[in-house]
Amino acid sequence: MADLTTNFIGIKSPNPFWLASAPPTDKEYNVRRAFEAGWGGVVWKTLGSEGPPVVNVNGPRYGAIWGADRRLLGLNNIELITDRPLEVNLREIKSVKRDWKDRAMIISLMVPCDEESWKDILKRIEDTEADGVELNFGCPHGMAERGMGSAVGQVPEYIEMVTRWVKQHSRMPCIVKLTPNISDIRKPAEAAKRGGADAVSLINTINSITSVNLDSFSPEPMIDGKGTHGGYCGPAVKPIALNMVAEIARSEATRGLPISGIGGVTTWRDAAEFMALGAGNVQVCTAAMTYGFKIVEEMISGLSQYMDEKGMTSTADLVGRAVPNVTDWQFLNLNYVTKARIDQDACIGCGRCFAACEDTSHQAISMSEDRVFEVMDDECVACNLCVNVCPVEDCITMVELPKGAVDERTGKKVADFANWTTHPNNPSVTAAE
Amino acid sequence: MSNTPLTPGIVSGRLVPEAYAHNFDDLEPVLDGHEAHVAADRCYFCHDAPCITACPTSIDIPLFIRQIATGTPEAAAKTIWDQNILGGMCARVCPTEELCEEACVREAAEGKPVEIGRLQRFATDRVMDKGVHPFTRAPATGKRVAVVGAGPAGLACAHRLAMHGHDVVVMDRRAKPGGLNEYGIASYKAPHGFAQREVEWLLQIGGITVQTGVELGRDVTLDALRADYDAVFLGIGLGGVNALRAAGEDLSNVRDAVDFIEELRQQPDKSKLGIGRDVVVIGGGMTAVDAAVQSRLLGAQNVTIVYRRGQEKMSASAHEQTHAQQVGVRIICNAAPVEVIGAGGAVSAVEFAYTEDGPEGLKLLADIFTLKADQVFKAIGQTLVAPDGLSGAKLDATPLARVWTGGDCAMGGEDLTVTAVAEGRDAAEAIHANLMGAVG
């Protein structure tokens, strides 16, 4: 079995599966049970400054969207940082860490945006023997209204400033957690790096309203007839998170900056994808909240099996493997020509490919009286929509035309690699001549 | 002393009271909201969906399922009723596994079709239970149409005609409207008076007068109807029953299965119904299965269906045959009755010969066997009793002007409730076009 041990910015854990800072990591009882279940580490639910703890709403905190059979696809929350006294959290963190030395214990922090506040909290957590801190610059609801969370994360200068304070007043490894509620994720990552961050973690939750109650006309989750935007997470956000992780992994300014991947990780596959795009480990929340701590067993066995099959001996072999293949549109090979192929034996005759192509794409699929669907190569632009709407896996595939073959749509032979940068229609190419 | 399944002869009360309630309750109860949601989500919303083509009434199945999935069963029911006003009954009695569900692409994909019939019932029950009837009449046309037969064909025809603004009189020889829905299908398929509820619901559209106890040929003639009405629709079903043509057929306790099924349907207290200990049902269609299954449900000890040809030729669907076998009915194929044997004037056994189905037809073999029987049900097909002025094994789209036909009595289509509904509806459209085209 492959070795899943990871060393993330000097913090060792038996596997790359950490629980993210969230309700599952709010107290000793949960965290002990998580470690017993096999989780490699936890990021303790965000601590605030000393003083009266924050309060939470007493109505629903979560909203959701579901697939059929109520499978949870996306979850949002309006819960704030921990609402338990700081001393209690610190005592429990210390107690758990003492018993679970091989597991990663990170403390998430969110305090007002002044140096004294940060200096103070860092001092207070020193005694816990935690392995590192994560700066919560991400939460988009509630705390942001008080100038914390994503209110900091949306201003790169603040990120840099606070990160610098943290590095100055603490020797602990420092992870900066980024908000996705920003137009270019590279900017806050760069700021964190400038401030001296050891790593970034992303994504935090996305601003969202999960649904609107069409009887009471209130957003969900509804509190006494009103609702507010909450942080969205779960499987639905994974594609957004993957892209943001990849952007940081491949950007010149941030390349090599360790990343802890977060956002809809539900299975070992999701974790492997994040890691292939450059994440050194992953953090999980919604999947645990949906199915319980036990899912980590599948994550461990699945990732081990995959790595064994690929001949990978350590997670480092996987991390970043897909990063070189993430590129800009302009560098994609315009002479890579494919055509959709329908496996008639696998086809069940639903006709969704036909409806999609005929109504919304390129009219490249024919339908016979007896419901045989065929691709017309002279119309097919290889858009892949038929593949995506087909309910049968591998029934429709995209097959590459070999070099020299004639593309019936264009009448041209498939030529050597060429991209937009050299294409005659590109004005900047013309200008250069 | 109370009776048991082993009590000889035809007796009632073979079972404990709770068993009757259980046996004759809904065989397949309606889906609840969550089950419907899950079932609906399996629909792929096919393009030009094969299930629609397979439905004799061409219900837009993907649309109504999507309407269920999105929380609007009311709209789903309307979609169903637009094509099939007896969609509630059809959801219960259609052989869906040979129609829409057989065509479902998920049957091809994984041998498990979308549960179209049960979803249809979910939607129609929801709305009917609220007493909502989502159709209104067009302005009155002043035209009057006589519909003979208040079965599925007649009712579908009447509703569509009323919708178009015509005034309709529906006549039926029996005491209640509904035709085979009321008298001809197994009790457990539509319990709790569903057939009558559906008729009452259907009549909410208005403009339809139902006259029961009126028989064509006895109380009214076709000529008189043609003279009194602007159009006539005949949905009279099949009034005759085929004979066994075997010696001993006239012995007592040898009975037409359709009569037994009718009596059973009309008896609210099933424990009062007598049933034999050893029941033999002769035939291979739905009537045979319904009679046999219900014999078992009434407590008969041994129930055997004997069909003269191979099992693949039985017109009862595979699903129905399986159900019969599950309740303990034995099915013997390739055997035909030779003689009904009596004792003291009543049947005591039936002698069968095995058969061979060849190119020259069915041949009786010398190989004979005898089944003990204290009750025999004949279910070997029904025949048309043609009204005066018409003839044939089935009614042709009639040589008589302003007369239309539909349902089991008419040519074309299978003898299914859903086919009858389609034919009644289409006849109504033809009548409407004819009547309105004939104006001036």
Side-chain angles (χ1 to χ4, degrees), chain A residues 72-396:
Chain A
L72 193 133
L73 301 178
L75 185 73
N76 103 341
N77 81 89
I78 56 170
E79 184 173 295
L80 303 183
I81 61 174
T82 184
D83 54 13
R84 304 181 332 136
L86 178 62
E87 299 70 32
V88 174
N89 278 309
L90 295 174
R91 191 170 63 238
E92 290 185 3
I93 292 167
K94 186 171 182 173
S95 159
V96 178
K97 181 62 195 178
R98 196 176 52 225
D99 293 343
W100 292 90
K101 290 198 163 44
D102 69 325
R103 308 301 168 95
M105 173 69 80
I106 312 298
I107 301 175
S108 173
L109 297 173
M110 184 196 287
V111 295
C113 208
D114 61 77
E115 191 169 359
E116 275 314 302
S117 298
W118 283 95
K119 192 174 167 184
D120 180 64
I121 189 74
L122 288 164
K123 199 167 151 214
R124 297 192 59 104
I125 66 171
E126 230 166 44
D127 187 41
T128 61
E129 292 174 45
D131 300 295
V133 294
E134 183 180 82
L135 314 187
N136 183 344
F137 296 156
C139 276
H141 50 273
M143 301 310 285
E145 295 169 16
R146 308 174 200 178
M148 292 179 265
S150 65
V152 177
Q154 286 166 339
V155 184
E157 293 75 17
Y158 291 172
I159 294 175
E160 182 179 345
M161 176 178 73
V162 176
T163 307
R164 188 160 283 132
W165 292 337
V166 171
K167 288 308 290 181
Q168 195 181 327
H169 298 296
S170 166
R171 280 168 302 171
M172 285 178 147
C174 168
I175 305 166
V176 173
K177 187 166 180 177
L178 304 180
T179 175
N181 299 302
I182 190 161
S183 51
D184 185 348
I185 197 66
R186 293 173 299 185
K187 297 293 182 274
E190 287 165 18
K193 191 178 178 187
R194 281 196 304 273
D198 298 287
V200 289
S201 58
L202 69 156
I203 58 174
N204 204 310
T205 55
I206 304 174
N207 261 329
S208 61
I209 290 172
T210 48
S211 61
V212 175
N213 185 314
L214 291 176
D215 296 315
S216 63
F217 296 102
S218 61
E220 298 284 359
M222 181 272 284
I223 302 289
D224 193 22
K226 307 280 184 195
T228 186
H229 59 85
Y232 193 46
C233 53
V237 312
K238 186 186 118 184
I240 297 165
L242 284 179
N243 175 58
M244 290 186 166
V245 165
E247 286 300 292
I248 294 170
R250 76 189 184 97
S251 161
E252 212 165 300
T254 49
R255 193 172 295 155
L257 177 66
I259 300 169
S260 185
I262 312 170
V265 176
T266 307
T267 69
W268 72 266
R269 261 175 207 285
D270 301 324
E273 290 174 25
F274 271 95
M275 292 167 78
L277 282 177
N281 70 8
V282 293
Q283 296 183 30
V284 177
C285 172
T286 310
M289 290 179 75
T290 310
Y291 303 107
F293 290 143
K294 190 179 165 66
I295 54 165
V296 75
E297 293 177 33
E298 164 268 309
M299 292 181 171
I300 290 168
S301 66
L303 187 64
S304 298
Q305 183 181 326
Y306 169 78
M307 286 171 54
D308 285 346
E309 285 166 6
K310 293 287 175 192
M312 298 174 181
T313 52
S314 103
T315 54
D317 293 345
L318 171 60
V319 174
R321 280 288 283 270
V323 175
N325 295 327
V326 185
T327 184
D328 294 344
W329 190 96
Q330 61 179 328
F331 301 122
L332 297 175
N333 184 4
L334 294 173
N335 288 330
Y336 176 73
V337 182
T338 64
K339 298 287 176 188
R341 289 283 172 267
I342 301 173
D343 177 349
Q344 298 298 342
D345 293 332
C347 176
I348 59 172
C350 70
R352 284 191 357 185
C353 58
F354 176 81
C357 193
E358 189 70 12
D359 290 359
T360 68
S361 292
H362 299 85
Q363 296 77 48
I365 294 178
S366 65
M367 173 179 174
S368 72
E369 285 273 309
D370 53 346
R371 302 187 73 82
V372 174
F373 300 91
E374 283 174 305
V375 176
M376 296 180 276
D377 282 1
D378 56 344
E379 299 291 347
C380 178
V381 304
C383 74
N384 210 39
L385 183 64
C386 55
V387 174
N388 297 143
V389 302
C390 178
V392 180
E393 213 175 317
D394 293 332
C395 174
I396 310 181

Side-chain angles (χ1 to χ4, degrees), chain A residues 68-69 348 350-352 354 371 391, chain B residues 34 41 44 46-48 50 105 109:
Chain A
D69 206 5
I348 59 172
C350 70
R352 284 191 357 185
F354 176 81
R371 302 187 73 82
Chain B
H34 174 72
D41 191 75
Y44 283 148
C46 294
H47 172 75
D48 190 11
V105 299

Side-chain angles (χ1 to χ4, degrees), chain B residues 27-39:
Chain B
L27 180 63
E28 217 171 36
V30 67
L31 297 173
D32 69 25
H34 174 72
E35 290 171 324
H37 194 70
V38 174

Side-chain angles (χ1 to χ4, degrees), chain B residues 133-172:
Chain B
H133 185 92
F135 296 93
T136 52
R137 300 187 68 196
T141 61
K143 302 287 183 185
R144 296 174 68 243
V145 182
V147 170
V148 186
L155 290 169
C157 183
H159 187 271
R160 185 58 64 100
L161 287 168
M163 220 170 85
H164 284 314
H166 309 299
D167 288 324
V168 187
V169 176
V170 181
M171 296 153 218
D172 198 284

Side-chain angles (χ1 to χ4, degrees), chain B residues 100-150:
Chain B
C100 52
E101 291 179 13
E102 183 182 58
C104 177
V105 299
R106 298 205 75 155
E107 173 65 26
E110 61 235 23
K112 195 171 175 296
V114 174
E115 292 182 289
I116 299 168
R118 298 190 77 189
L119 286 165
Q120 179 165 319
R121 177 167 171 194
F122 170 79
T124 52
D125 275 17
R126 277 270 164 131
V127 183
M128 279 181 70
D129 288 349
K130 290 184 193 162
V132 174
H133 185 92
F135 296 93
T136 52
R137 300 187 68 196
T141 61
K143 302 287 183 185
R144 296 174 68 243
V145 182
V147 170
V148 186

